[in-house]
Amino acid sequence: MTDIPTDATETTSLRNKMIDQLRDEGWITSPEVEAVMRKVPRERFTPPGTALADVYNPWDAVVTQTNEHGVHTSSVSAPQVQAFMLEQAQVRPGMKVLEIGSGGMNAAYLSELVGPTGTVVTVDISSEITETAARLLAENGYENVRVVTADAAEPIPGVGVADVILVTVGAWDIPPAWTYQLHPQGRLVVPLRARGLTRSISFVMQGDHLESTSAKQCGFVAMQGSTEHHEQLLLVAGTEEIALRFDDGLPIEPSQLDNAVKTERIEQWSGVTLGRREPFGSLQLHLAITVPGFCTMTVDQDLDSGIVVPNRHGFSLAAVDGDSFAYLVFRPAGDDDVEYGVHALGNHAQQLADTLIATLHDWDAHHRGDSTPIFRVYAAGTPDDQVVGDRVVDKVHSRISLSWPAA
C-alpha cells in the first residue's frame, strides 16, 4: 500500500480538495464523474512509498514503469486528464467498456461508472502491468473488471462490441480493431498524435468514418506493440544541437537544408499577442493544419552555440520549406501578455517567415481561444475525394484529416 496516514480522514481531505479544484476549474463537469473520483482512493493504485502530495497533485502523472533507457512506459495518469477523459467517454450504468492501457486506477473509476450491471475489460501489452492491475483491483473489490494481457491493436477475444473504448496510452494510429469492436452508437476516446501534437479526442461514428466531438490537449506515454511509431529526426547540418522532429512528412530532400545555418537569422514580429494564461492549443493545431512543413524543434542545451535562440530548448513549433527552416518565438508584451514572432534561416528565410506571420494573423482573426478543429478518421486507402478535411495525414491503418468547422 501507498504511504497512507494513520488518520484516513487526511487522504479523504486531500482527495476532496483535489476534486473541488478540478470541478471549479471545469475539468469535472458531471456529478457522476465527481462522485466516482471522490469515492476511489487514488493512493491505493500508486506505487508503494509515493508521497501523498504527488498522489493528489491534480496536474501530474505518477510513473509506474520505466524501461532500460529511462523512458516512462506506464503511469497513473494525472487526475486532471483522467477527469476530462471520463467526461469525454460519457460512461453510463450498464455499459460495456474496453480500456486500452491498464494500471487499475482508471479501471476502478470505470467500474464505478458502469455499476453492477456493466462490465469493464482493461488491456495492456505488459504482463507486469496487468498482474499489478489485477491484484490492485481485486484487493479493492472490483471483481467486475476483467484484466487481459494482449496487444490491443488486435481484437480482444470475448469482448464483443463495446459501448465505450477508452485508450489511456498515446496512439499514433487507429487500428481497425478499435472501430470493429465499437458499437455503432458508441464512443472512442483516444490520445491521438497527429503532426507531433497529441489530443485526447472523443470520436463517434459518422457513416463510414469517425468524427470528433471534443479534443483536449494532453500528453501520454506512447503505445507499444504493432502500432507503435517513432518520430523521424532531422539533425540540421552544420550544427550538433538543432533537431527538427517530424511525426510525418519528413522532407524528401533534407540535404537542401545543409547551408541554412550559414545564412543570417531573420527575426520578424507579428503584433499578435496572447495572455500568459490564455489557451494556445488552437495555435499549435492551426499551424499543423495550415503549414505543409510543420514540425517541432529541439535544441541540445549542452551543445547550444546560439545559432538559434528558442524560448524553450525542449520544444518549439517549427516549419521547413525547401532550403529554409523557421520556428516560433515570443517576447513580453506588457505585464501579462506575450507577442509571437518568427526566427527563420536559409536562402528563402524571409518568404517562410512571411508565411508563418500570415498564419499567425489568420489564427488571431478566426481561431484563437478555445476553438477546436474537427478530426476525422477514415480507413487507409479511402480515396481523396471521399476524405473531408484541410490537412490529411496518412498512417498505416487510417487517414486522419484535420479541419476547422465551417464558419
Side-chain angles (χ1 to χ4, degrees), residues 240-324:
E240 296 182 351
E241 74 265 24
I242 304 171
L244 301 174
R245 297 176 178 273
F246 293 84
D247 203 44
D248 57 82
L250 185 74
I252 297 174
E253 297 183 40
S255 61
Q256 290 186 69
L257 281 177
D258 285 357
N259 295 313
V261 297
K262 297 179 181 177
T263 66
E264 183 179 356
R265 186 178 69 232
I266 290 174
E267 180 176 310
Q268 192 165 332
W269 294 95
S270 67
V272 174
T273 60
L274 190 72
R276 292 183 185 274
R277 294 178 179 83
E278 189 176 346
F280 66 95
S282 62
L283 172 57
Q284 296 176 332
L285 289 167
H286 188 58
L287 289 165
I289 292 171
T290 307
V291 179
F294 178 79
C295 60
T296 61
M297 182 183 78
T298 59
V299 178
D300 188 328
Q301 195 163 0
D302 294 332
L303 301 174
D304 188 0
S305 63
I307 294 174
V308 293
V309 285
N311 296 97
R312 299 186 181 98
H313 287 79
F315 181 87
S316 298
L317 301 173
V320 172
D321 186 8
D323 60 7
S324 304

Side-chain angles (χ1 to χ4, degrees), residues 159-357:
V159 171
V161 176
D163 299 295
V164 171
I165 298 177
L166 179 60
V167 184
T168 58
V169 288
W172 180 78
D173 203 352
I174 305 292
W178 296 357
T179 50
Y180 173 76
Q181 294 199 266
L182 184 65
H183 190 281
Q185 281 75 53
R187 191 173 296 268
L188 167 66
V189 178
V190 53
L192 181 65
R193 195 171 86 241
R195 310 216 78 195
L197 305 175
T198 301
R199 297 293 185 272
S200 173
I201 306 173
S202 175
F203 286 109
V204 296
M205 290 299 302
Q206 293 287 347
D208 64 346
H209 67 277
L210 292 165
E211 190 162 316
S212 64
T213 62
S214 68
K216 304 286 188 180
Q217 190 168 345
C218 64
F220 271 86
V221 297
M223 179 168 283
Q224 303 173 58
S226 60
T227 55
E228 68 180 285
H229 177 82
H230 301 284
E231 292 177 317
Q232 296 172 293
L233 192 66
L234 173 57
L235 293 173
V236 177
T239 77
E240 296 182 351
E241 74 265 24
I242 304 171
L244 301 174
R245 297 176 178 273
F246 293 84
D247 203 44
D248 57 82
L250 185 74
I252 297 174
E253 297 183 40
S255 61
Q256 290 186 69
L257 281 177
D258 285 357
N259 295 313
V261 297
K262 297 179 181 177
T263 66
E264 183 179 356
R265 186 178 69 232
I266 290 174
E267 180 176 310
Q268 192 165 332
W269 294 95
S270 67
V272 174
T273 60
L274 190 72
R276 292 183 185 274
R277 294 178 179 83
E278 189 176 346
F280 66 95
S282 62
L283 172 57
Q284 296 176 332
L285 289 167
H286 188 58
L287 289 165
I289 292 171
T290 307
V291 179
F294 178 79
C295 60
T296 61
M297 182 183 78
T298 59
V299 178
D300 188 328
Q301 195 163 0
D302 294 332
L303 301 174
D304 188 0
S305 63
I307 294 174
V308 293
V309 285
N311 296 97
R312 299 186 181 98
H313 287 79
F315 181 87
S316 298
L317 301 173
V320 172
D321 186 8
D323 60 7
S324 304
F325 74 97
Y327 57 96
L328 258 60
V329 289
F330 57 87
R331 65 183 180 184
D335 292 338
D336 296 314
D337 292 351
V338 295
E339 179 189 7
Y340 277 98
V342 176
H343 289 178
L345 297 94
N347 292 329
H348 295 86
Q350 187 61 62
Q351 179 180 334
L352 181 54
D354 290 342
T355 297
L356 290 178
I357 292 293

